[in-house]
Amino acid sequence: MESLVDICPLSFFWDNLKLKSLLVSVSDTLCDRRWSRTLRSPDSSLFAQKNGKTMFCCRIFLVVSLANFLRDLHVSSCDPSCAEKPEFTPSRLVVKYGDATSARCSVCESCSKNIYNLERALGSHTINGTTIVWKVEKMTEWDTNTMCYFTNDTTNHQCCTTLPITVYKPPDRVSISFLNHTGPMFMGHDYALQCEVQNVAPVEKLSVTFYRGQTALTQLQSNNTHKKPVTEIFSLSITPRKEDNGVQYWCEAKLELGPEGPELPPLVTSQRTTATVFYKPHLETSDPETVTITEGQRLQLNCTSVGNPSPSYTWKIPPASPSPWNSSVITIESVTFEHGGWYTCDVRNSVGKITVMYNVDVKADITPYIIYGVVGGGLLLIFFTTIVLIHCYKHNRMGQYNLKDVFRLHTRHVAVPITE
């Protein structure tokens, strides 16, 4: 009878009896099933003569195949921190899903006498000396790694290096919206902005930035570790101000893939949504509460306010003032005493209202009295000057003085005697 070694040499088997028993058990099960199907076939009589030998060869074939397969798988217990571990170039691989990629593993020259190889989930590899080249025509796996290893024949110690592989896919679409809200917002209320990023991988490498106009509000990242494409929603709470009316909110999603990734990181932006913010009126000017004005001057009171929706104005004014008045500014060209008193401006819109009050104090115009005083004083001066001149004239009218002497500043004229 032929021995097992004569039919198929098994010099490559391990010296592990438990593993051999396991392989034989598996091969018996598979071969028995295959042989049972053969006996039920119409031509099973052709194989009845070789029943024993066929079953034996079937077992041998399966044992050898499983042994080789398990021999390749035992790299999972290798040492990744050994001194002369294999080196990958590049040390980290970033590839877009569906694209081609490649990497090279180099094993040390002193390790060339040992057993070395590459463990991979897809693609093909070639060995040239101590260099193993791995190529993939189309990346179709989301979570995959490639391992390069060598085994010391003497000590059976294994040394390995794993190539980290990041398979990415840019988002299909990025959109922004308000959570459970449509229409205008109200100043001071809280709202939630949502940025939805659809079908992106890997989401743990994704960063989302919210913007108000050109100002970045915050940047968020996901805690999700899924490797396959997912849809992720990021939220931001905002409290609108009146200055935010008309601004545009938007977000952008960017895959941060590191220096091994593409030169320009994959970036997708959302549409822009314009915010409408409602708020009650606010006074634009700061006129004093009490307005002092002179009679006859121009009076102007301004309670112009800003609000959304646009506010309306209602005035309550003294009876002598013109009415009704429904604009933000009230003007009286020439104010009189009857125009004095309290002026009340009510400003309102659908959100709220404010009330502004002015106390107008009209003073008398003293300019005419000043003019009258100046003219009166001048007339009195002329009058008293005239009285003084007349008095001096009457007092000095006797002697050698005449009227002309009065105007010659009282210069005395002496008569000169004439000698005959």
Side-chain angles (χ1 to χ4, degrees):
M1 182 178 178
E2 294 176 309
S3 65
L4 180 63
V5 177
D6 293 335
I7 295 175
C8 187
L10 300 177
S11 58
F12 53 85
F13 281 0
W14 295 294
D15 293 328
N16 191 321
L17 296 178
K18 292 184 180 180
L19 183 58
K20 287 182 179 180
S21 300
L22 175 62
L23 294 176
V24 172
S25 175
V26 172
S27 65
D28 285 344
T29 302
L30 295 175
C31 288
D32 288 344
R33 289 180 181 177
R34 181 176 180 181
W35 186 250
S36 297
R37 289 196 299 269
T38 304
L39 290 177
R40 288 194 297 268
S41 65
D43 299 329
S44 61
S45 58
L46 299 175
F47 302 95
Q49 304 174 19
K50 303 179 181 179
N51 182 6
K53 190 170 182 178
T54 303
M55 283 289 292
F56 184 75
C57 291
C58 179
R59 291 195 184 101
I60 296 302
F61 175 76
L62 287 175
V63 168
V64 173
S65 299
L66 288 172
N68 284 328
F69 176 73
L70 291 175
R71 181 165 184 150
D72 288 339
L73 286 181
H74 78 300
V75 298
S76 60
S77 61
C78 68
D79 180 10
S81 60
C82 51
E84 296 182 334
K85 63 181 182 180
E87 292 183 358
F88 273 106
T89 305
S91 59
R92 179 173 173 265
L93 194 62
V94 177
V95 56
K96 184 178 180 181
Y97 185 83
D99 283 0
T101 189
S102 63
R104 185 174 69 253
C105 174
S106 300
V107 181
C108 61
E109 292 293 337
S110 60
C111 310
S112 59
K113 296 180 180 180
N114 300 318
I115 300 174
Y116 55 92
N117 210 332
L118 195 75
E119 185 179 275
R120 53 181 170 75
L122 74 166
S124 61
H125 68 276
T126 57
I127 301 177
N128 183 12
T130 57
T131 301
I132 305 174
V133 178
W134 173 60
K135 292 184 179 180
V136 176
E137 293 183 358
K138 186 176 182 180
M139 179 58 71
T140 57
E141 295 287 338
W142 293 103
D143 189 4
T144 184
N145 286 310
T146 297
M147 181 184 293
C148 187
Y149 68 92
F150 69 84
T151 304
N152 189 304
D153 283 339
T154 304
T155 62
N156 204 32
H157 179 74
Q158 291 185 334
C159 186
C160 65
T161 300
T162 300
L163 174 65
I165 302 174
T166 300
V167 182
Y168 72 91
K169 177 190 175 299
D172 289 340
R173 183 172 179 267
V174 177
S175 61
I176 193 169
S177 62
F178 287 97
L179 176 64
N180 300 327
H181 179 80
T182 57
M185 300 181 290
F186 291 88
M187 184 184 75
H189 292 202
D190 293 331
Y191 300 88
L193 271 174
Q194 285 193 155
C195 185
E196 182 176 356
V197 185
Q198 297 179 3
N199 208 24
V200 62
V203 69
E204 63 180 349
K205 300 291 185 181
L206 181 68
S207 67
V208 169
T209 305
F210 286 87
Y211 288 89
R212 180 178 59 218
Q214 296 303 315
T215 303
L217 299 177
T218 190
Q219 187 177 82
L220 303 176
Q221 290 184 313
S222 174
N223 295 324
N224 195 335
T225 58
H226 279 78
K227 303 298 183 181
K228 293 183 178 181
V230 297
T231 295
E232 192 86 353
I233 297 177
F234 300 82
S235 297
L236 174 67
S237 178
I238 63 169
T239 304
R241 309 163 300 169
K242 66 178 183 178
E243 294 83 6
D244 296 333
N245 183 53
V247 302
Q248 292 184 325
Y249 289 97
W250 55 287
C251 62
E252 68 176 15
K254 180 166 62 175
L255 282 172
E256 304 281 1
L257 300 171
E260 296 84 2
E263 184 176 353
L264 295 176
L267 180 69
V268 180
T269 60
S270 71
Q271 84 284 9
R272 300 185 179 226
T273 179
T274 302
T276 300
V277 181
F278 280 180
Y279 53 94
K280 75 175 187 178
H282 293 267
L283 193 66
E284 274 190 333
T285 60
S286 57
D287 289 345
E289 180 179 333
T290 300
V291 179
T292 302
I293 191 170
T294 302
E295 182 185 16
Q297 290 184 338
R298 185 172 183 262
L299 173 66
Q300 187 174 75
L301 302 176
N302 187 354
C303 70
T304 301
S305 302
V306 292
N308 193 26
S310 297
S312 61
Y313 301 87
T314 303
W315 287 86
K316 296 177 183 178
I317 57 181
S321 301
S323 61
W325 208 279
N326 56 6
S327 67
S328 61
V329 180
I330 197 169
T331 303
I332 300 175
E333 293 298 335
S334 180
V335 71
T336 64
F337 287 105
E338 290 77 11
H339 294 141
W342 285 98
Y343 289 72
T344 302
C345 178
D346 288 331
V347 189
R348 69 179 65 228
N349 62 11
S350 60
V351 182
K353 78 165 190 174
I354 59 171
T355 298
V356 185
M357 300 183 68
Y358 304 96
N359 183 20
V360 177
D361 183 17
V362 181
K363 300 292 185 181
D365 186 3
I366 63 173
T367 303
Y369 300 99
I370 295 175
I371 295 174
Y372 295 153
V374 172
V375 173
L379 291 176
L380 288 174
L381 179 63
I382 294 172
F383 175 76
F384 284 114
T385 302
T386 304
I387 294 298
V388 171
L389 290 176
I390 293 173
H391 176 74
C392 292
Y393 172 74
K394 288 181 178 181
H395 180 75
N396 297 307
R397 63 182 301 186
M398 301 303 294
Q400 62 266 35
Y401 294 98
N402 56 34
L403 184 61
K404 292 181 180 179
D405 293 335
V406 176
F407 297 99
R408 293 175 183 173
L409 301 177
H410 303 90
T411 303
R412 183 180 296 271
H413 294 269
V414 180
V416 179
I418 301 173
T419 304
E420 293 183 355

